[in-house]
Amino acid sequence: MPEGSKAGTFYATANDPAAELYLWVAPMLPDGTAGPGGVLSEAANQARVSMPNLKSGKYLATVITGWHVGTDFSSDIPFRFQANVVGPNTPRNGTFSVSPTRPATKPGVPLDVTGTWSGVDTTVPATAYVAYPDGTGTLVDISG
């Protein structure tokens, strides 16, 4: 991940709508092995891993076929992989807006916000990032 990366969502989508995959994404250690902090998706046709606190560096992404008792097993499941990384050089497509923009808040009290996305191709996965003043943020995804 490039320097300055904040967050990211990773997708592995099986070409066959009936197939299921798992996706595992983890930081890579200098020796090329997986380090701590990896995330494993649920089994799905479009496996998704969201990492809201992504750090710069190398990562391993592993796609595993999902198999269930009573179904035919195949280790040959074609898939597409997509990484949507939020950072300083992220290409921007469309507009994501949140309302209200400056709500009155109280610590520990939830509030409702509405997100609106326009100008985005909804046939492919898309990711937006809502940044907060304390440096944290929230990922918002369209699965496509």
Side-chain angles (χ1 to χ4, degrees):
M1 297 302 122
E3 190 66 38
S5 296
K6 293 180 180 184
T9 303
F10 305 87
Y11 299 89
T13 306
N15 293 356
D16 177 356
E20 288 189 338
L21 305 170
Y22 291 93
L23 175 60
W24 180 58
V25 180
M28 184 187 300
L29 296 174
D31 67 0
T33 61
V39 179
L40 178 66
S41 74
E42 297 287 329
N45 177 260
Q46 184 180 75
R48 177 178 61 116
V49 167
S50 290
M51 300 180 90
N53 298 309
L54 194 63
K55 306 292 183 219
S56 60
K58 294 182 179 181
Y59 283 74
L60 294 170
T62 304
V63 178
I64 306 159
T65 60
W67 176 77
H68 302 282
V69 173
T71 62
D72 293 332
F73 174 77
S74 175
S75 60
D76 183 24
I77 298 177
F79 65 91
R80 296 175 308 282
F81 180 80
Q82 182 173 330
N84 293 350
V85 178
V86 177
N89 297 317
T90 300
R92 304 202 187 277
N93 297 317
T95 302
F96 184 77
S97 303
V98 177
S99 176
T101 56
R102 300 201 184 277
T105 62
K106 292 182 182 179
V109 178
L111 71 133
D112 291 330
V113 296
T114 301
T116 305
W117 214 329
S118 62
V120 175
D121 180 359
T122 59
T123 64
V124 295
T127 302
Y129 184 75
V130 179
Y132 304 120
D134 67 358
T136 63
T138 298
L139 282 168
V140 180
D141 300 300
I142 294 176
S143 294

